[in-house]
């Protein structure tokens, strides 16, 4: 469900695993200070009291570290993590099998949890609340519903927007944690750490320039770093300097605010074709040939945070700042 340019390619996933770019301990997770402080307290309390860690819902735009955090929680608690995603469940039986295989304290991570089917979602409720699970034996008139007890586990759900979850599911998470866009200083730190892991020298100023143009998102920062590294290798440069960064970003058409072609297409569509707005999201989706989900969850959050676009009850409006940005880029 992610915009093409921030989805990891199979090659990148392999690279990520090989070089292990994902932080493991909570202390290696950069930024999100308030979230980390709270989370650290809840984990420590559960370890100290030997009580089960309450279910956690992580929400925020893609690429901000939800999956990474789920793995860090498992690492900090020293338990196993079983990862799956909402669309991966087709049968109720899949969920029962998964739940009955969990050991005491284990973590079940469900990415895109808002995409669970209603039947699966309902069968999760007794598991989350009472650590019990219903299953059906047999078929037709002789079918019987049996209930089994499962080990106490922590469900960690991830979603792009909390509002996408049904109310009953949302209410069953004791710990809601919102991930926010990163500031350039934190992204710079992430870039320098990743450059070290990739064994490449990077100038401080160059790292900061990439950070400023990464849409507040670590996944995009890391991706840009890798692509700029490609440019520096081909140009036989010793490491990554400001010149390489500026030229590579220009070549990849990433502008001064870190916006790419799609962002600019979105802004231009509203400002040029619809006189600055308001325009409804369905109209934009049709005009840009882009799914509504992508527009709402991937493109718009950053543009709104930057004050380039506003969502109103009548539709989207490009701000004066947005208009000026289009004119100068
Ligand atoms: P999400 O699940 O929210 O889409 P991920 O957890 O997959 O995001 O993170 C995307 C990439 O960014 C991963 O390679 C991860 O290692 C890196 N990353 C995310 N947050 C951080 C952070 N706070 N510190 C260091 N690296 C991070």
């Amino acid at each position: 469900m992610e915009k093409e340019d921030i989805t990891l390619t199979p090659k990148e996933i392999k690279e990520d695993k090989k070089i292990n770019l994902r932080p493991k301990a909570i202390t290696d997770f950069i930024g999100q200070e308030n979230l980390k402080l709270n989370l650290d307290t809840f984990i420590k309390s559960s370890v100290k009291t030997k009580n089960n860690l309450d279910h956690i819902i992580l929400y925020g735009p893609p690429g901000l570290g939800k999956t990474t955090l789920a793995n860090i929680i498992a690492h900090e608690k020293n338990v196993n993590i079983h990862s799956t995603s909402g669309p991966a469940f087709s049968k109720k039986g899949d969920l029962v099998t998964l739940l009955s295989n969990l050991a005491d304290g284990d973590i079940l991570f469900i990415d895109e949890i808002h995409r669970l089917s209603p039947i699966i979602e309902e069968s999760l409720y007794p598991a989350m609340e009472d650590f019990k699970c219903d299953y059906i034996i047999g078929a037709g008139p002789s079918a019987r519903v049996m209930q089994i007890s499962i080990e106490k586990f922590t469900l960690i759900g991830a979603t792009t927007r909390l509002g996408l979850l049904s109310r009953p599911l949302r209410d069953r998470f004791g710990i809601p944690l919102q991930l926010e866009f990163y500031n350039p200083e934190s992204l710079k730190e992430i870039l320098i750490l990743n450059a070290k892991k990739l064994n490449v020298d990077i100038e401080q100023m160059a790292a900061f320039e990439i950070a400023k143009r990464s849409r507040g998102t670590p996944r995009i920062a890391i991706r840009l770093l890798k692509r700029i590294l490609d440019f520096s290798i081909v140009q036989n440069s010793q490491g990554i300097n400001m010149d390489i960064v500026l030229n590579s970003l220009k070549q990849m058409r990433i502008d001064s605010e870190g916006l790419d072609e799609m962002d600019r297409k979105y802004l231009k569509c509203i400002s040029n074709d619809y006189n600055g707005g308001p325009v409804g999201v369905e109209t934009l989706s049709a005009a840009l040939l882009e799914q509504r989900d992508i527009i709402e969850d991937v493109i718009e959050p950053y543009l709104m945070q930057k004050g380039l676009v506003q969502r109103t009850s009548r539709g989207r409006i490009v701000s004066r700042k947005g208009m000026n940005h289009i004119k100068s880029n």
Side-chain angles (χ1 to χ4, degrees), residues 153-325:
F153 70 103
T154 299
L155 175 65
I156 302 183
T159 182
T160 45
R161 270 181 291 151
L162 199 55
L164 294 172
L165 256 62
S166 72
R167 192 66 209 234
L169 182 59
R170 207 188 323 164
D171 288 347
R172 283 172 170 82
F173 286 99
I175 307 178
L177 298 172
Q178 181 177 20
L179 283 99
E180 283 165 359
F181 286 118
Y182 292 68
N183 58 34
E185 287 74 21
S186 299
L187 287 175
K188 179 185 161 193
E189 235 183 285
I190 294 175
L191 282 163
I192 290 180
L193 212 90
N194 278 273
K196 214 182 254 172
K197 287 183 188 168
L198 291 165
N199 210 9
V200 54
D201 286 334
I202 183 164
E203 282 177 4
Q204 296 276 331
M205 293 263 286
F208 194 63
E209 191 59 37
I210 305 175
K212 280 195 299 183
R213 304 224 217 159
S214 300
R215 294 174 112 258
T217 307
R219 181 179 292 151
I220 296 181
I222 296 167
R223 169 170 222 151
L224 287 179
L225 175 70
K226 287 178 181 169
R227 298 296 72 85
I228 292 168
L229 178 59
D230 289 338
F231 280 98
S232 83
I233 290 169
V234 172
Q235 290 167 22
N236 293 320
S237 157
Q238 296 294 320
I240 295 176
N241 57 35
M242 195 64 158
D243 268 355
I244 294 271
V245 168
L246 293 178
N247 288 331
S248 315
L249 290 172
K250 194 168 168 201
Q251 186 66 31
M252 292 188 283
R253 306 207 199 294
I254 309 286
D255 69 28
S256 56
E257 292 274 8
L259 308 194
D260 61 18
E261 291 283 16
M262 192 60 202
D263 298 316
R264 286 191 296 271
K265 235 170 100 184
Y266 170 97
L267 289 174
K268 276 183 192 157
C269 178
I270 304 179
S271 64
N272 300 348
D273 304 346
Y274 293 94
N275 227 353
V279 193
V281 65
E282 291 298 349
T283 309
L284 279 170
S285 166
L288 297 169
L289 300 175
E290 192 57 271
Q291 285 172 39
R292 180 185 173 150
D293 285 359
I294 302 278
I295 293 180
E296 290 190 307
D297 297 340
V298 182
I299 301 176
E300 290 182 339
Y302 187 70
L303 297 180
M304 287 195 296
Q305 204 233 14
K306 279 268 153 194
L308 302 169
V309 172
Q310 285 152 6
R311 263 189 209 164
T312 71
S313 54
R314 288 178 305 137
R316 278 63 173 161
I317 297 176
V318 172
S319 66
R320 189 184 297 272
K321 190 178 168 197
M323 293 284 195
N324 290 338
H325 185 77

Side-chain angles (χ1 to χ4, degrees), residues 89-197:
F89 286 106
S90 51
K91 295 192 295 281
K92 197 174 161 182
D94 298 345
L95 180 70
V96 177
T97 310
L98 190 59
L99 291 172
S100 52
N101 280 328
L102 296 174
D104 187 33
D106 272 5
I107 282 170
L108 172 61
F109 175 59
I110 308 184
D111 200 7
E112 294 190 75
I113 194 160
H114 58 276
R115 294 182 64 193
L116 281 175
S117 75
I119 294 176
I120 305 276
E121 192 182 307
E122 269 174 35
S123 18
L124 256 183
Y125 299 160
M128 289 173 81
E129 258 167 41
D130 308 316
F131 304 103
K132 293 222 156 48
C133 184
D134 293 337
Y135 71 105
I136 301 167
I137 304 182
S142 62
R144 278 180 305 142
V145 178
M146 301 282 291
Q147 197 168 56
I148 50 167
S149 292
I150 49 177
E151 296 288 351
K152 286 192 172 161
F153 70 103
T154 299
L155 175 65
I156 302 183
T159 182
T160 45
R161 270 181 291 151
L162 199 55
L164 294 172
L165 256 62
S166 72
R167 192 66 209 234
L169 182 59
R170 207 188 323 164
D171 288 347
R172 283 172 170 82
F173 286 99
I175 307 178
L177 298 172
Q178 181 177 20
L179 283 99
E180 283 165 359
F181 286 118
Y182 292 68
N183 58 34
E185 287 74 21
S186 299
L187 287 175
K188 179 185 161 193
E189 235 183 285
I190 294 175
L191 282 163
I192 290 180
L193 212 90
N194 278 273
K196 214 182 254 172
K197 287 183 188 168

Side-chain angles (χ1 to χ4, degrees), residues 21-135:
L21 293 178
R22 271 189 204 277
K24 279 209 176 67
I26 201 158
T27 44
D28 299 332
F29 191 84
I30 295 158
Q32 311 283 349
E33 297 308 330
N34 191 41
L35 179 154
K36 262 187 332 197
L37 192 70
N38 289 330
L39 183 60
D40 195 37
T41 308
F42 306 144
I43 295 175
K44 281 190 177 134
S45 159
S46 105
V47 171
K48 222 169 166 177
T49 57
K50 296 197 174 65
N51 282 335
N52 192 51
L53 179 64
D54 218 340
H55 305 302
I56 300 172
I57 182 80
L58 300 167
Y59 62 102
L64 296 194
K66 298 181 289 296
T67 309
T68 307
L69 269 177
N71 284 284
I72 286 177
I73 296 167
H75 176 85
E76 293 290 332
K77 282 214 72 198
N78 200 16
V79 294
N80 293 316
I81 179 165
H82 307 252
S83 299
T84 179
S85 78
F89 286 106
S90 51
K91 295 192 295 281
K92 197 174 161 182
D94 298 345
L95 180 70
V96 177
T97 310
L98 190 59
L99 291 172
S100 52
N101 280 328
L102 296 174
D104 187 33
D106 272 5
I107 282 170
L108 172 61
F109 175 59
I110 308 184
D111 200 7
E112 294 190 75
I113 194 160
H114 58 276
R115 294 182 64 193
L116 281 175
S117 75
I119 294 176
I120 305 276
E121 192 182 307
E122 269 174 35
S123 18
L124 256 183
Y125 299 160
M128 289 173 81
E129 258 167 41
D130 308 316
F131 304 103
K132 293 222 156 48
C133 184
D134 293 337
Y135 71 105

